Amino acid sequence: MSAAPAYRRLSVEERRSQLLDAALQLFAHRAPEDVSLDDVAEAAGVSRPLVYRYFPGGKQQLYEAALRSAAEELQQCFDEPLEGPLLPRLSRALDRYLTFVDEHDAGFSALLQGGSVVETSRTTAIVDGVRRAAAEHILSHLQVTDPGLHLRMTVRMWITAVEAASLIWLDEGKQPPVAELRDWLVDQFVAVLSVTANRDPQTAALAEQLAADG
């Protein structure tokens, strides 16, 4: 007879990661205020006191930790190698971003729309950090080391538009198809750059470069 596999006690970091994964799965399909610590404990297959042992601050601490974990994943969406034409790079980044939105639909809506009973200045700062990181990645792809006000505002406005479009896409039953939404958002990026180019020489030079790459 083969021996049964030996039980292995999880390390502190492994157990914490397990609880965060369980919480993120729940937040992916339900608004944060509808998820209890009992729900997280059941999903992770542990007791409620164990959840409190790792997150003594209760639901708020667990929610913020799960949000940071999701934020790190979202920030990585725009971390694309600086190789080849810009627009295909942007398309690949949006593919990853929209995949995250698709897989974390209800949770994504709750995190970005606000109004959650567990929203605080800290959670708002975490979400804002995702936006700022995305803007930095876009400016890096544009190979701009000293972006002016017009260009910075244009990039951040486009990121806000991507968020809004993602939320509306979820509200519309994930229509149009994700590939169409991605291409539409890339076209909007080109369009807003073109509008800003009429007012800003730095953006005008970038718009000309994009046209040449296309």
Side-chain angles (χ1 to χ4, degrees), residues 53-64:
R53 183 188 304 173
Y54 284 86
F55 299 97
K59 179 176 176 176
Q60 182 64 43
Q61 184 184 8
L62 177 61
Y63 175 76
E64 290 179 10

Side-chain angles (χ1 to χ4, degrees), residues 126-138:
I126 293 169
V127 175
D128 189 55
V130 175
R131 297 170 181 145
R132 291 181 180 278
E136 290 174 2
H137 279 303
I138 296 301

Side-chain angles (χ1 to χ4, degrees), residues 94-203:
L94 282 172
D95 277 336
R96 289 192 292 273
Y97 185 93
L98 294 173
T99 295
F100 181 94
V101 173
D102 186 25
E103 294 176 352
H104 299 78
D105 42 24
F108 181 86
S109 297
L111 299 182
L112 290 188
Q113 285 185 13
S116 168
V117 296
V118 291
E119 183 181 14
T120 66
S121 60
R122 290 190 300 274
T123 61
T124 301
I126 293 169
V127 175
D128 189 55
V130 175
R131 297 170 181 145
R132 291 181 180 278
E136 290 174 2
H137 279 303
I138 296 301
L139 291 170
S140 176
H141 285 298
L142 291 170
Q143 298 182 318
V144 177
T145 56
D146 187 23
L149 175 63
H150 287 84
L151 181 57
R152 293 199 309 273
M153 289 184 66
T154 298
V155 171
R156 294 185 67 178
M157 285 190 295
W158 179 75
I159 290 168
T160 301
V162 170
E163 287 183 4
S166 299
L167 292 169
I168 296 169
W169 181 70
L170 292 175
D171 192 50
E172 293 290 339
K174 300 183 179 180
Q175 291 296 323
V178 67
E180 181 180 336
L181 176 61
R182 176 203 63 212
D183 292 343
W184 189 7
L185 290 171
V186 171
D187 289 344
Q188 288 184 355
F189 181 73
V190 175
V192 295
L193 278 183
S194 298
V195 171
T196 304
N198 294 327
R199 298 174 176 269
D200 177 51
Q202 183 182 47
T203 308

Side-chain angles (χ1 to χ4, degrees), residues 10-29 35-37 39-46 50-56 58-73 100 104 111 126:
L10 296 180
S11 69
V12 171
E13 192 57 40
E14 288 172 331
R15 179 67 74 187
R16 189 174 188 276
S17 178
Q18 178 199 28
L19 295 174
L20 285 177
D21 287 344
L24 282 172
Q25 286 297 320
L26 291 171
F27 292 144
H29 302 289
V35 177
S36 69
L37 288 182
D39 294 330
V40 175
E42 181 180 357
V46 301
L50 183 65
V51 179
Y52 264 111
R53 183 188 304 173
Y54 284 86
F55 299 97
K59 179 176 176 176
Q60 182 64 43
Q61 184 184 8
L62 177 61
Y63 175 76
E64 290 179 10
L67 178 54
R68 287 191 189 93
S69 178
E72 290 172 1
E73 187 174 342
F100 181 94
H104 299 78
L111 299 182
I126 293 169

